[in-house]
Amino acid sequence: MNTARELLHSLSASGYTLRAKEGGKLGVKPVPPSDLLEELRAHKAELLALLSASPANDPAPSRGEVQPRATLVSQEDLRQIQRHLLRHLTDCRDCCIEDHLYCHQAERTGNGYAAYLTEFPDAAQRHNDYVAVVIQSRIRGLQAGFTALEALTRHDRDTGRETACRPVYGIDNRPAELAFVNHYTTCTYCFPRSGKYCGEGRVLHDMALLEGEQ
């Protein structure tokens, strides 16, 4: 053999397993014949250097140590399904986005969105942010919802944070918005997308808009 690398490849092809051990020792399985042992001794230093640089020779994790796995869903994947679901949630009176309860028409997409969230450590905050986007879409229309969702996307991209930003339109401290949403979701005469409201719905909608501008 001319080089340690060629020797290593030849041994691997022949079924031998080499490993760099503590103390500068070279482990070989199964035990090679004497002539091959002599060749291993002659190239020991180079073989140890090659093996130490190999990922396969990294020490195994200790028992009980949890190894992180690659994320299966990207932030862009999450935004795409949120955008798709938003088209439906803006007008649907049967879906309760806060509790992940979806009508039969949106059940598949909604459950997919809920599953996507489980890939993020800050899933609860991301969902709260999205609920706020849906509320804004219901009050101001679908385009306003898309704008709010894009604002979340830009925030994540610009800051590089894994955690989504705070809700653009949190409802906890906005009673007028809460009153409008509670009315709109049960009223058969209010249609935010087309701007049509009953008398009470129009008053509540205007109050919610005024509250949002404060």
Side-chain angles (χ1 to χ4, degrees), residues 126-155:
R126 288 177 182 273
H127 183 57
N128 287 339
D129 289 350
Y130 186 55
V131 170
V133 169
V134 173
I135 291 171
Q136 187 162 345
S137 184
R138 287 174 171 174
I139 293 173
R140 292 171 172 77
L142 183 60
Q143 191 55 50
F146 285 154
T147 301
L149 190 59
E150 179 59 28
L152 288 181
T153 303
R154 286 198 305 273
H155 183 279

Side-chain angles (χ1 to χ4, degrees), residues 11 14-18 27-33 36-37 40:
L11 289 169
S14 300
Y16 289 97
T17 300
L18 276 72
V28 187
K29 290 184 179 181
V31 178
L36 192 51
L37 278 173
L40 287 171

Side-chain angles (χ1 to χ4, degrees), residues 64-148:
E65 181 180 348
V66 178
Q67 297 297 305
R69 65 172 176 81
T71 303
L72 301 179
V73 178
S74 67
Q75 293 198 43
E76 179 59 26
D77 293 332
L78 182 64
R79 289 291 184 247
Q80 287 296 330
I81 199 169
Q82 286 177 330
R83 185 180 178 87
H84 179 68
L85 190 58
L86 185 62
R87 296 179 181 277
H88 174 84
L89 294 175
T90 297
D91 287 332
C92 183
R93 292 177 170 80
D94 296 322
C95 289
C96 179
I97 179 62
E98 293 89 341
D99 299 321
H100 287 296
L101 298 176
Y102 305 100
C103 69
H104 71 280
Q105 185 177 351
E107 185 175 12
R108 183 173 181 180
T109 305
N111 290 340
Y113 160 64
Y116 276 22
L117 278 176
T118 62
E119 289 294 310
F120 297 89
D122 57 341
Q125 181 61 60
R126 288 177 182 273
H127 183 57
N128 287 339
D129 289 350
Y130 186 55
V131 170
V133 169
V134 173
I135 291 171
Q136 187 162 345
S137 184
R138 287 174 171 174
I139 293 173
R140 292 171 172 77
L142 183 60
Q143 191 55 50
F146 285 154
T147 301

Side-chain angles (χ1 to χ4, degrees), residues 143-187:
Q143 191 55 50
F146 285 154
T147 301
L149 190 59
E150 179 59 28
L152 288 181
T153 303
R154 286 198 305 273
H155 183 279
D156 289 347
R157 183 172 59 243
D158 294 344
T159 62
R161 290 172 54 191
E162 284 298 321
T163 304
C165 66
R166 297 180 60 189
V168 178
Y169 257 77
I171 199 169
D172 293 340
N173 298 319
R174 294 185 180 276
E177 288 188 357
L178 179 59
F180 170 72
V181 172
N182 287 341
H183 171 83
Y184 144 74
T185 53
T186 57
C187 181

Side-chain angles (χ1 to χ4, degrees), residues 20-39:
K21 301 172 68 175
E22 292 183 5
K25 297 180 179 180
L26 186 64
V28 187
K29 290 184 179 181
V31 178
S34 57
D35 58 334
L36 192 51
L37 278 173
E38 288 298 325
E39 201 163 3

